[in-house]
Amino acid sequence: VKKSKAETELTRARIVAAASNEVRRRGLAEANIAEVMRAAGLTHGGFYRHFENRDQLFLEGLRHAAAASGEVLAERAATGGAAHALEGYLSPHHRDAETPRCPYAALGSELARYPDLKPEAWRGIERQIATLSEQIGGGEDAADRATLLFAIMVGALTLSRLADDPTVSDRILSVAKRQGLKLTQPQIAPDA
Amino acid sequence: VKKSKAETELTRARIVAAASNEVRRRGLAEANIAEVMRAAGLTHGGFYRHFENRDQLFLEGLRHAAAASGEVLAERAATGGAAHALEGYLSPHHRDAETPRCPYAALGSELARYPDLKPEAWRGIERQIATLSEQIGGGEDAADRATLLFAIMVGALTLSRLADDPTVSDRILSVAKRQGLKLTQPQIAPDA
DNA sequence: TGTACATCAGTGAACGCGCGTTCACTGATGTAC
DNA sequence: TGTACATCAGTGAACGCGCGTTCACTGATGTAC
């Protein structure tokens, strides 16, 4: 059943969006094609009309996830500055999302094991850091502080998702948030 | 070819150690039994003389990895304090290890997806934080600072392993180290 | 503007590989006497 | 202290399931005339 060109393009986009979710939910290794196709409302057989193979699907899925999470952070930063972006990222709501939003927290270390995906992932991380860097006050060390800030965000979110006690998990987030907020301000004391 | 009880026990320990490496190298999803047995100098068939199934193997592997990395951090902390532990953790040498040492950085987010492993992982993380907390100066906020410190360590190590430029990667480590060092000192200014 | 035909998105069955698991077998260990 | 036998660690072949990939087929789209 051939479809119109416009429809085909929409279908492809739906598949990529589904892959973007699947990969963040299950991880790169366990994400699976049939599941993606089902989520896109199709059967697995049609997959190869749109993609070369599994690798391409999840590369595009990752790219989509990176773009989506980049936009969320950028939008919040534009609205309420780095502090607002930080609060969204380190919120219980974000931590508990059924589909994890941030691919770097969701996939983290796994990305380092896929040479084909690493550059894509890193580019996305650079964008996140740039977003933060633009927003936080201060001089030449803004880039370093933004980098550190993002490391705290990813690290704290990851740990908060492992804590078994919700109170402890919340505390990880709030402690990180407080420290993060300090980093969004230009440093008062010179760096000793 | 039956083996003596002592030998059997040693063999089992060798398998667990191999699993500990395998899981940190490949991740939980891609770690595989045959590879572990090969690394332990055995064939895959003998596996079930020692373990119920795959899940048990990698649970014990994770436990082993947690213990091993816990000991490394504790030893360095005992020798040279939190600063020394921090320096080891955020060193290029640790980042580049063929078998990643820290299971929380190596597996990170993946652990959150395995309900059976999460508690084990979290216990290990608590130990790391406790080790740091005992070492860093200061009052009641030591636990919070240690938690934050460990979040920075895991986050920075994870990001440093994704950066494509070695200079940038080194910089992530050193920026995190500097901030971490501050956290090992009792706060001078009261927390505003 | 219509008609005939090639194209190709999507379906569902089938294939094949990798890997966890099982099994018959071997031969050294440990135990019963 | 020796001997006979049950146990069981380890081997390598085989099984079966899941999943990526292929394929014959369908029928709507888009193009050639």
Side-chain angles (χ1 to χ4, degrees):
Chain A
V1 185
K2 184 169 179 180
K3 296 294 173 65
S4 78
K5 245 192 265 183
E7 207 174 338
T8 300
E9 219 166 299
L10 282 178
T11 300
R12 193 183 199 281
R14 248 188 313 127
I15 298 173
V16 170
S20 163
N21 289 336
E22 172 80 354
V23 87
R24 283 180 286 183
R25 263 191 250 202
R26 299 225 195 159
L28 286 159
E30 303 202 42
N32 109 2
I33 293 179
E35 191 55 45
V36 169
M37 293 300 278
R38 216 170 295 133
L42 300 167
T43 59
H44 67 281
F47 173 72
Y48 293 87
R49 293 286 164 197
H50 295 282
F51 301 91
E52 286 280 320
N53 53 34
R54 184 185 188 281
D55 286 353
Q56 196 199 347
L57 174 65
F58 291 116
L59 169 61
E60 295 202 26
L62 171 64
R63 194 175 289 153
H64 178 98
S69 75
E71 275 152 33
V72 170
L73 200 77
E75 200 180 323
R76 287 188 72 99
T79 311
H84 191 235
L86 180 69
E87 258 161 45
Y89 192 98
L90 291 178
S91 66
H93 180 262
H94 183 206
R95 175 195 63 203
D96 300 332
E98 203 196 330
T99 299
R101 188 186 300 147
C102 174
Y104 320 112
L107 304 175
S109 35
E110 205 180 358
L111 292 165
R113 293 195 293 267
Y114 292 77
D116 292 352
L117 301 183
K118 246 181 84 166
E120 193 66 39
W122 179 248
R123 234 169 298 149
I125 290 170
E126 279 185 317
R127 177 182 169 189
Q128 301 297 61
I129 293 175
T131 296
L132 296 170
S133 180
E134 282 163 24
Q135 287 293 334
I136 67 185
E140 52 187 51
D141 70 334
D144 280 348
R145 281 188 289 130
T147 301
L148 183 57
L149 182 55
F150 196 60
I152 292 177
M153 288 160 67
V154 170
L157 185 60
T158 300
L159 295 190
S160 79
R161 283 178 173 153
L162 290 173
D164 48 12
D165 177 343
T167 312
V168 174
S169 180
D170 286 354
R171 182 137 194 98
I172 296 171
L173 294 180
S174 68
V175 167
K177 215 181 295 178
R178 200 189 316 146
Q179 177 71 31
L181 274 177
K182 283 192 213 163
L183 287 167
T184 65
Q185 250 77 51
Q187 302 305 71
I188 292 115
D191 235 38
Chain B
V1 186
K2 184 168 177 181
K3 294 296 173 64
S4 77
K5 245 193 261 179
E7 207 173 339
T8 300
E9 220 167 297
L10 283 176
T11 301
R12 191 182 201 282
R14 249 187 313 127
I15 298 174
V16 170
S20 162
N21 289 336
E22 173 80 357
V23 86
R24 284 179 285 182
R25 264 191 250 202
R26 301 226 196 158
L28 286 159
E30 303 202 41
N32 106 4
I33 293 179
E35 191 55 45
V36 169
M37 293 301 276
R38 214 172 295 135
L42 300 166
T43 58
H44 67 282
F47 174 73
Y48 293 88
R49 294 284 165 196
H50 295 282
F51 301 91
E52 286 280 320
N53 52 36
R54 183 185 188 281
D55 286 353
Q56 196 200 345
L57 175 66
F58 291 115
L59 169 61
E60 295 201 25
L62 171 63
R63 195 176 287 154
H64 177 99
S69 76
E71 276 151 33
V72 170
L73 200 77
E75 200 180 323
R76 287 188 71 100
T79 311
H84 190 236
L86 181 70
E87 257 161 46
Y89 192 98
L90 291 178
S91 67
H93 179 263
H94 182 206
R95 175 196 62 203
D96 300 333
E98 204 196 328
T99 299
R101 186 186 300 147
C102 173
Y104 321 111
L107 303 175
S109 35
E110 205 180 358
L111 292 165
R113 293 194 292 266
Y114 292 79
D116 292 351
L117 301 183
K118 247 180 83 167
E120 193 66 39
W122 179 247
R123 235 169 297 148
I125 290 170
E126 278 184 319
R127 178 183 170 188
Q128 301 298 61
I129 293 175
T131 296
L132 295 170
S133 180
E134 283 163 24
Q135 287 293 334
I136 66 186
E140 53 185 50
D141 70 334
D144 280 349
R145 280 188 290 129
T147 301
L148 183 57
L149 183 54
F150 196 61
I152 291 177
M153 287 160 67
V154 170
L157 185 60
T158 300
L159 294 190
S160 79
R161 284 179 173 152
L162 291 172
D164 48 11
D165 179 343
T167 311
V168 174
S169 179
D170 287 353
R171 183 138 194 97
I172 295 172
L173 294 180
S174 68
V175 167
K177 215 180 298 176
R178 200 188 315 147
Q179 177 71 31
L181 275 175
K182 282 191 212 163
L183 287 168
T184 65
Q185 250 77 52
Q187 302 303 76
I188 293 120
D191 234 35

